[in-house]
Amino acid sequence: MGALEAFAWEWGSALVRWLHVTAAIAWIGGSFFFMHLDASLRKHAGDDPALAGVSWQVHGGGFYQMNKYLLAPAALPEELIWHKWQSYWTWISGFVLLCWVYYGQSTFFLIDPAVMPLAPWQAALIGIAALALGWIVYDLLCRSPLGDNEPLLAVVGFGYVILTSWVFTQFFSGRGALIHTGALMATMMTGNVFFVIMPNQRKSVAALMAGKKPDPKWVKTSKTRSTHNNYITLPVLFLMLSNHYPMIFSNPRFIPEIVTCVIVAGALVRYFYNVWHLGHDQAPWWAWAAAALAIACAFFIAAGASPGMRQLAGLKALPAAPALAGEPKAPPDVVEVVTNRCSMCHSAAPMEEIGEAPKGVLLDTPEHIARFAPAIRMQAVLTHAMPPNNFTQMTDEERAVLARWLKLDLAEK
């Protein structure tokens, strides 16, 4: 990959991520608003019997009156806004980003030869199949007799996600396992919209247009799936952001425990707000303490699993993964440059001020240096972003050594 291609790859990642975040803001904002709207509805004497409730709200200097019907109004308005594309574009852009970053650069971000020496196409196939299969299993659980017992369904669904996070650690790097756990939960959310909520909405509209009464089951099922989406939104956001924080994924063996704590914390925060919007006097303030305890547990689990933190705490070092036979190695002159200028941060036990190797990138062996060649190309040769502020004083001559290894002429012109 030449300099122009590497830059284009990074720019593409930035633009798709921008779209993904923008769509997610729109979707999550709408989801939170409608959960709040449902909780704020009030039924008053003399209201239309067909109404589930009325909510008055003020925003931007204007007053809004919002009515919710138990099933549907007697006659459909000429203009009806459907809330679906925010969800669809969030998933579409997220899947493109997953392909762009993790499948397109799988040897860097997704594949860990010490876990399973997969070919790039194998890693991509496993990831995509897992997302599809994950949705199918979740949907079958919801449609099974468990669906009639929402608390039990929630417990089983919770255990299912934790199990899948462990399964992902058996195939991918820690970073890849976390992002796929988040992607699976996000797929469940969009699947709920595409396969359940919107079809039920269309059935209701079709029934009204035919002069029939919509089936209440359609409304109930859609509300249940929408509630699932609401409670897993915050955990999904955390897992999507986790790929930027190596202290979370530095030890894949502890990922299921961390995912457990994060899901509990995120669900408790949403539970607080869902109840609080029903009535401030009913607010379960204990949920904040419980959520904080869950996050504290995640912190100590991550710290205890981190090789660098274990060394600082005087704990027994965790066994290092052995180098695989035949794995590519960086040449001695490149190893010398990287060891002198980069490995004090990018190692299993980095300098104390760092705590964990940035982005989980290890550059402490010839094999690791060769594996992360694309990152070295972008960060140290093309942009000079690393070392940060050049605090290790990497020289132009040393960058030229890296450029020659990477077959780039940029540093020599």
Side-chain angles (χ1 to χ4, degrees):
M1 183 186 294
L4 186 59
E5 291 88 349
F7 259 89
W9 201 265
E10 286 292 294
W11 265 100
S13 174
L15 293 175
V16 176
R17 193 180 303 273
W18 187 15
L19 172 61
H20 183 52
V21 171
T22 302
I25 289 172
W27 182 21
I28 294 169
S31 173
F32 283 5
F33 171 75
F34 277 103
M35 289 296 293
H36 169 266
L37 177 60
D38 272 352
S40 67
L41 293 170
R42 299 294 181 267
K43 185 81 171 178
H44 302 287
D47 283 348
D48 184 346
L51 289 178
V54 179
S55 176
W56 280 89
Q57 302 197 22
V58 60
H59 180 74
F63 291 87
Y64 299 80
Q65 182 187 29
M66 303 175 188
N67 303 327
K68 180 179 179 179
Y69 289 83
L70 291 170
L71 289 177
L76 287 177
E78 292 184 4
E79 296 181 359
L80 187 62
I81 297 175
W82 296 74
H83 291 270
K84 57 181 180 179
W85 284 108
Q86 303 97 315
S87 170
Y88 298 166
W89 274 109
T90 299
W91 191 88
I92 292 169
S93 59
F95 183 71
V96 171
L97 192 61
L98 186 68
C99 294
W100 192 279
V101 175
Y102 286 88
Y103 301 153
Q105 305 174 76
S106 56
T107 55
F108 181 26
F109 292 114
L110 184 59
I111 298 172
D112 184 347
V115 175
M116 186 173 289
L118 298 168
W121 69 268
Q122 292 173 321
L125 183 61
I126 291 172
I128 295 171
L131 297 184
L133 180 62
W135 156 255
I136 292 171
V137 173
Y138 162 75
D139 188 53
L140 290 175
L141 287 174
C142 292
R143 296 178 187 273
S144 73
L146 281 174
D148 297 326
N149 188 330
E150 291 192 22
L152 182 58
L153 176 61
V155 171
V156 173
F158 171 71
Y160 171 61
V161 171
I162 302 306
L163 176 62
T164 58
S165 72
W166 175 81
V167 171
F168 283 134
T169 66
Q170 306 305 300
F171 292 93
F172 300 141
S173 66
R175 185 172 181 172
L178 269 178
I179 203 69
H180 276 81
T181 303
L184 173 59
M185 296 172 71
T187 299
M188 293 175 182
M189 293 174 67
T190 297
N192 281 336
V193 175
F194 186 80
F195 293 110
V196 179
I197 297 173
M198 291 310 301
N200 285 348
Q201 200 76 57
R202 293 189 191 98
K203 292 176 186 176
S204 296
V205 171
L208 286 169
M209 294 180 67
K212 300 177 182 178
K213 185 178 180 180
D215 189 339
K217 184 179 180 181
W218 300 335
V219 178
K220 181 180 181 298
T221 303
S222 296
K223 183 61 180 175
T224 297
R225 298 295 185 105
S226 180
T227 301
H228 289 181
N229 286 1
N230 179 259
Y231 276 103
I232 65 177
T233 295
L234 295 183
V236 167
L237 285 176
F238 183 94
L239 294 176
M240 291 306 183
L241 294 172
S242 67
N243 68 96
H244 299 284
Y245 299 97
M247 70 280 192
I248 300 172
F249 61 77
S250 63
N251 193 329
R253 285 174 291 181
F254 292 88
I255 281 178
E257 290 87 343
I258 294 174
V259 171
T260 298
C261 294
V262 168
I263 291 177
V264 169
L268 283 170
V269 170
R270 285 312 305 160
Y271 172 72
F272 169 82
Y273 280 108
N274 291 339
V275 177
W276 188 68
H277 291 317
L278 286 171
H280 293 187
D281 57 332
Q282 306 173 42
W285 292 100
W286 58 266
W288 285 105
L293 177 61
I295 292 299
C297 289
F299 170 83
F300 285 109
I301 290 171
S306 166
M309 289 298 291
R310 291 182 69 86
Q311 183 184 58
L312 293 174
L315 300 175
K316 181 181 178 180
L318 297 171
L324 299 180
E327 190 173 0
K329 297 181 181 181
D333 57 342
V334 170
V335 172
E336 181 181 2
V337 171
V338 174
T339 299
N340 291 337
R341 306 302 183 187
C342 310
S343 63
M344 65 284 298
C345 295
H346 289 281
S347 67
M351 54 192 290
E352 185 172 346
E353 294 84 350
I354 298 297
E356 198 68 53
K359 293 194 174 184
V361 175
L362 299 179
L363 301 174
D364 49 359
T365 68
E367 293 82 4
H368 286 160
I369 294 171
R371 188 185 307 169
F372 288 103
I376 295 172
R377 174 193 293 113
M378 177 56 61
Q379 302 292 338
V381 179
L382 295 180
T383 66
H384 291 201
M386 289 292 166
N389 295 324
N390 201 23
F391 81 98
T392 62
Q393 299 182 356
M394 180 182 287
T395 65
D396 290 341
E397 290 74 17
E398 289 171 324
R399 294 186 195 276
V401 170
L402 301 179
R404 285 192 293 271
W405 169 53
L406 295 165
K407 296 180 172 58
L408 292 173
D409 297 329
L410 184 67
E412 299 178 334
K413 290 182 179 178

